[in-house]
Amino acid sequence: MSRQDITIGLFGFGVVGKGLWDVLLQTPGLKANIRKICIKTHDKPRPVPQEFFTFDRDELLNDDRINIIVELIDDSEAAFEIVSAAMRNGKGVVSANKKMIADHLHELLQLQQRYNVPFLYEAASCASIPIIRNLEEYYDNDLLVSIEGIVNGSTNYILTKIHRDKLTLNDALKQAQALGYAESNPSLDVDGYDAKYKLLILLLHAFGIAESPERIYNLGIQRLNSLDLRLAGEKGYKIKLIAHAHKFGENKVIAFVLPQFVNESSRFFAVDDVLNGVQTETGFADKQFFMGKGAGAFPTASAVLSDISALSYSYRYEYKKRNQQVLTLTDRFSLEVFVSFRNRDDVPASDFMEVTEKYRSPEGNYIVGRINFTKLTESAWIRNPEVSVLLTPDFQPLPLPEDQTVAD
Ligand code: HSE
């Protein structure tokens, strides 16, 4: 297939934009040149000639010589305006903006169809791990059973620093920010929203499900307390923030983001620092595991580069799963959780279907037990900042007793 030359209009010159500039300089084989870079302010010295920069987005969007817009800005609403204007003008688009994509999934699907333009975003989920294109192309027939992953580099870095170097969450977060891993609003990382946005993108390509962020429950790592850390130490566990999506029954999928204890037998155990890890399970291939850097300038720019290269061969997502099967999300399942809390009456044991362990001490209290997922996520106590919830290592979602058909 012949390869098209690419002329890029780049929006944003932050960590990833600058990374892309450097990466393109080192890949002359790819005939892709940045023509213009649109930025918001001129407040920093930049190692690129001034004539490349503009504040006027229309200089890029209305330039017929620019065939690809690469959007790498921070503000997700401004990003959506840029991306939709680019598509309306018939330009292919590459973006790394997971929040923008998750918030506007349906509109972006419609825009691609209406204007018949490609829109690629491999960097938006797990940075350097080529998971989206694999879900689209490799896993287009073998039916996926589940996809779960450590999909946020900052929180994995923070958890590693807490576990290994006994840093506080705040000190570890400062390091993640200094290394360019964290979002400019780090609560998106720490509270599990960034992981949820990435999970929404994975759900679309793995199962054909296009959902909005409000539909999916996320809890981050901000609640972790000394009892959680002590228990992890005593049992030889690590704590990881894991995004889950599992087929459940005939045509349902369960999906959420929660911190989880993992033991040495889990592939996630060895995924430390800024690495991300994704485990797929399929009907024929059983389990497979992908691992790679999940944040930072070059790992993210490498995925953007790969998208630019794919566009030069006219590649586009076909969203094959949307036509293959009709799957929808369900919250009708139970799971086993470890819930720790400051005051002994904060969490009633009667909310659990089964309690396997109950612990009380002046340091804190915990309950280990199986709970209806809806009861968990809609309880008043889960909104209490002094209550921490972790999945136990052997994650096994079960149908609710009232949904189980009686076997003859
Ligand atoms: N803040 C994100 C993370 C950046 O830490 O994973 C990469 O998406």
Side-chain angles (χ1 to χ4, degrees), residues 8-112:
I8 297 168
L10 173 63
F11 281 86
F13 204 69
V15 172
V16 184
K18 164 80 173 55
L20 180 65
W21 176 273
D22 292 340
V23 160
L24 279 172
L25 286 179
Q26 293 172 55
T27 45
L30 174 65
K31 302 234 172 316
N33 296 302
I34 294 179
R35 179 170 179 81
K36 207 87 201 169
I37 306 168
C38 184
I39 48 171
K40 217 162 54 174
T41 49
H42 256 317
D43 55 356
K44 311 168 201 164
R46 293 188 166 97
V48 172
Q50 276 305 322
E51 64 265 24
F52 276 95
F53 293 104
T54 176
F55 296 124
D56 180 5
R57 55 183 235 170
D58 289 338
E59 261 193 63
L60 282 64
L61 294 170
N62 295 336
D63 184 338
D64 289 338
R65 288 159 298 189
I66 289 177
N67 49 5
I68 300 294
I69 293 293
V70 177
E71 178 283 305
L72 301 174
I73 68 170
D74 197 42
D75 176 337
S76 61
E77 286 311 306
F80 179 63
E81 278 175 33
I82 289 163
V83 167
S84 31
M87 288 194 198
R88 280 196 297 271
N89 287 0
K91 298 187 192 300
V93 179
V94 176
S95 171
N97 200 319
K98 45 271 153 119
K99 183 171 188 333
M100 183 271 289
I101 298 166
D103 283 343
H104 295 281
L105 216 45
H106 285 283
E107 293 146 286
L108 289 165
L109 287 170
Q110 281 166 5
L111 281 162
Q112 286 172 76

Side-chain angles (χ1 to χ4, degrees), residues 98 151-154 181-183 189 194 198 294-295:
K98 45 271 153 119
V151 297
N152 180 272
S154 303
Y181 300 156
E183 299 299 302
D189 296 300
D194 181 79
K198 290 165 176 167

